Amino acid sequence: MKWAIADVVGVREETPTARTIMLRIPGWTGALAGQHIDIRLTSPDGYQAARSYSLSSAAGAEFASVSIELMPDGEVSPYLVRGVSVGDQLEVIGPLGGWFVWKPTQPEPLRLIGGGSGIAPLVSMLRTHAEAKSTAPAHLLYSVRSPDYVYFRDELDALAAAADAEVTIQYTRHAPQGWTGTVGRLDGARVTSWAASTAPADGGTVSTYICGPTRFVELAADTLVATGADPLTVRTERFGGA
Ligand SMILES: Cc1cc2nc3c(=O)[nH]c(=O)nc-3n(C[C@H](O)[C@H](O)[C@H](O)COP(=O)(O)OP(=O)(O)OC[C@H]3O[C@@H](n4cnc5c(N)ncnc54)[C@H](O)[C@@H]3O)c2cc1C
């Protein structure tokens, strides 16, 4: 696999601090839901920095899309979120990764847990699920600070309906007016009660995918394993940070 020059064919602001970039990558034949690409920036003096970004597009999408959160003191994300425009070119390699992937041939129920930008590969899974008309029951638990920071806000409900998925949002700081659910950080008790409420009646196997900041992922994964999930059924993707 080689680095390729991709054309930026679309950008969409997701939240005040995040955007989706759509890329036309030469020779792109799709990916597995959950895979990522690496994007490499080169400065005029030759200094290079590469970072990984999960694909948020469906497995078979013609254009690859990535959805990126701005890290204010970061080397790469500020340029991608604030600096890139349609018509620009980016150096990319991928698709990469073979463990944190979901395939429509998987019949077992699907549990998705995402924090912040960690929703990106989970939306790829939901899109792929909907396009493949999978009948695997799907549940998404999405932790996000407030309504303005919900990625894919305009399409999440439609996507959930298309994938016949149940979406639970956990607002960590502010909820919309009239919200009757809890507000606060996702903790072990909330993960446990959500997992219990989404458990199949026959007690069968569930595949779980957890993605987001490192500490968030570890809390959710450790909680599920401590409460009985087989570690081999809990796949994680850590985006870094605390
Ligand atoms: C497999 C994989 C897939 C990823 N997919 C995505 C994605 O879909 N969307 C996305 O926005 N990011 C994703 N990331 C994270 C991404 O690769 C970068 O780490 C992130 O964009 C920060 O890069 P930066 O150069 O701007 O910051 P850096 O210069 O690397 O770091 C700047 C500061 O931000 C902190 N930091 C870095 N990452 C995080 C984080 N996730 N949370 C909190 N603090 C952080 C660092 O510790 C440092 O203090 C993914 C990471 C991996 C490993």
Side-chain angles (χ1 to χ4, degrees):
M1 196 176 289
K2 287 184 179 161
W3 288 91
I5 304 296
D7 296 312
V8 175
V9 294
V11 294
R12 190 181 66 202
E13 307 309 317
E14 292 292 349
T15 77
T17 56
R19 68 162 23 163
T20 291
I21 300 177
M22 276 147 275
L23 298 165
R24 185 194 295 120
I25 302 176
W28 185 255
T29 54
L32 298 174
Q35 285 189 301
H36 64 275
I37 58 172
D38 283 358
I39 299 181
R40 181 164 74 181
L41 304 184
T42 305
S43 65
D45 66 2
Y47 174 75
Q48 293 188 318
R51 298 288 184 273
S52 300
Y53 293 100
S54 297
L55 295 159
S56 48
S57 39
E62 178 185 3
F63 299 126
S65 66
V66 287
S67 303
I68 302 166
E69 182 70 32
L70 175 79
M71 297 289 145
D73 57 347
E75 280 190 336
V76 172
S77 62
Y79 175 68
L80 297 177
V81 176
R82 299 281 187 239
V84 166
S85 307
V86 171
D88 288 348
Q89 293 189 315
L90 290 170
E91 210 179 359
V92 306
I93 192 166
L96 304 169
W99 169 245
F100 191 81
V101 295
W102 178 80
K103 297 177 188 163
T105 48
Q106 290 177 231
E108 73 281 4
L110 180 62
R111 248 184 219 147
L112 309 172
I113 305 179
S117 56
I119 187 75
L122 310 184
V123 156
S124 174
M125 290 176 192
L126 286 181
R127 286 180 165 147
T128 304
H129 185 291
E131 286 188 8
K133 299 190 173 19
S134 165
T135 55
H139 299 270
L140 168 67
L141 176 58
Y142 180 20
S143 168
V144 63
R145 79 181 89 153
S146 62
D148 286 350
Y149 288 84
V150 173
Y151 283 49
F152 314 105
R153 196 161 29 151
D154 296 340
E155 57 178 313
L156 206 50
D157 286 345
L159 187 55
D164 202 13
E166 189 188 86
V167 176
T168 304
I169 298 190
Q170 176 70 39
Y171 292 105
T172 61
R173 294 193 203 158
H174 307 289
Q177 267 203 330
W179 181 252
T180 53
T182 56
V183 177
R185 268 181 184 272
L186 203 66
D187 57 15
R190 287 191 178 104
V191 172
T192 304
S193 66
W194 176 79
S197 71
T198 58
D202 65 2
T205 304
V206 177
S207 276
T208 304
Y209 296 81
I210 308 172
C211 185
T214 299
R215 204 186 296 162
F216 171 91
V217 170
E218 287 175 358
L219 174 120
D222 291 350
T223 301
L224 289 178
V225 171
T227 52
D230 175 350
L232 289 175
T233 66
V234 180
R235 292 178 170 79
T236 56
E237 189 85 280
R238 295 163 174 77
F239 278 5

